[in-house]
Amino acid sequence: MALTRRHWWIIGVVSAVLLAVIAVAVTASFSQRSTTAAGSGSTASSSAPPATPSTASPPPSIATSAPASGTPVPSSPGKDLAAQRLAAMTLEQRVGQILMVSSPVTGADANSLYALDTLYVGNVFMKGRSTAGVEGIAAQVSALVAHVSGDRTQGARPFVATDQEGGFVQIMRGPGFEDMPQAVEQGQLAPDVLAADATRWGQQLASVGVNVNLAPVMDTVPGAAFAPQNAPIGTFGREYGYTPAGVSSHGLAFARGMLAAGVAPTAKHFPGLGRVTLNTDVSAGVTDDITVREDAYIQPFRDAVNAGVPWLMISNALYPKIDPRNLAPFSSVIVQDMVRGDLSFTGVIVSDDICDAVQVSAVPVDRRGVDFIAAGGTMALCTNQALLPQMYQGLVAAAQGDPGFAGQVDSAALLVLESKAIAGLLS
């Protein structure tokens, strides 16, 4: 039947109405999704201490976010390469990947070289102090890295770390290195200025072969009056501020600068050392009896994880309101349930030093690495290279005797290798 002009007019009106209805529905759906996304961030429980009010903007992301939980993660060349390298490794080589041994920044000693050449240890921490400048320190790092290559590590080159926070904690100095201010002074800068400064500092580290900085400190000291009593952080001006918001804004600015320079930053010392009065490096019995699992002072670490910081360090203190039985590095509640669970962190979890630290002296050396990996850690840091063999042998023996623990070693080693693939360290 032929359509008249009246028929065409009716069809046009009906089509316009339908298009309007569809547009309203789509707009409402998008609005609902946006509202849901905006409110999806985790919050502290009602029992946590109140957070200090802040008008600061949420910390900007410093890395590509990981897929949401439950989203299938497609295979990638880096993941495939890491899996291939792991499959080619012996147990001894896999254990080597989850250890970081110290070496004097002024030149490797016999103990450091034994760990690298004989025990297959795959990562190095440059310790001590040097004023040799960029040229002299680069030569030392290059000579050391030459020992971590080839068949000993299946072509996996090392993570080379140091402590370059600023102020009292700056291992590398001399020509080519700027004198970095203390974090408490960095906290007075505008975040964009600090990020630019940290980019230069990171470039100086990268120029000598350092690819991991065990910084920034994300611990919150409760106030300037308490800082002198806070032996590990406040005494040395290592805090960015006295509120979680202030620590987040400036700690993440520092981290952004490091990443921009190609150096992986490390948020430390989870779940916080800002409230203790003793230093775990030189004292035993260091206890934080205030911090709870959903504490406001954990927020800077949560912000760091949400922003994409790739490494996180665990404190050595005891937190009885979280886990009354285990020191933090040996607590699955802190390492696994909180870092992997509450924070959804997927990167490298590194211990603080668990060789020289007096806080862990009651635990046999050969058990320390085992207990850290069993708790969910990724890489054990040993700043006493003479003790490293005991930690290494403890890990090998535990894996040989317990298939379940051997699986944990494999998982940790795979994560290290995947991180190395991302960093371009798998040749």
Side-chain angles (χ1 to χ4, degrees), residues 91 94 396-411:
L91 171 61
R94 296 177 186 194
V396 171
Q400 289 173 334
D402 181 352
F405 181 71
Q408 290 181 292
V409 168
D410 286 353
S411 295

Side-chain angles (χ1 to χ4, degrees), residues 224-243:
F226 179 70
Q229 304 171 53
N230 178 230
I233 309 299
T235 297
F236 300 102
R238 300 170 71 194
E239 71 276 21
Y240 285 101
Y242 303 110
T243 66

Side-chain angles (χ1 to χ4, degrees), residues 36-57:
T36 301
S40 63
S42 57
T43 58
S45 69
S46 59
S47 63
T52 303
S54 171
T55 57
S57 301

Side-chain angles (χ1 to χ4, degrees), residues 119-197:
L119 302 183
Y120 312 106
V121 172
N123 308 283
V124 184
F125 171 74
M126 307 304 294
K127 73 172 183 178
R129 295 289 186 273
S130 175
T131 58
V134 167
E135 185 176 350
I137 293 175
Q140 296 293 352
V141 172
S142 178
L144 197 63
V145 167
H147 291 266
V148 190
S149 61
D151 292 341
R152 284 191 298 273
T153 61
Q154 295 298 329
R157 296 191 297 281
F159 281 123
V160 180
T162 197
D163 271 334
Q164 199 84 338
E165 300 172 16
F168 293 102
V169 186
Q170 182 175 347
I171 286 177
M172 299 180 178
R173 296 179 184 267
F177 286 105
E178 296 179 39
D179 286 333
M180 300 164 57
Q182 301 174 56
V184 71
E185 297 172 3
Q186 295 175 29
Q188 302 304 308
L189 301 173
D192 288 348
V193 172
L194 177 55
D197 288 347

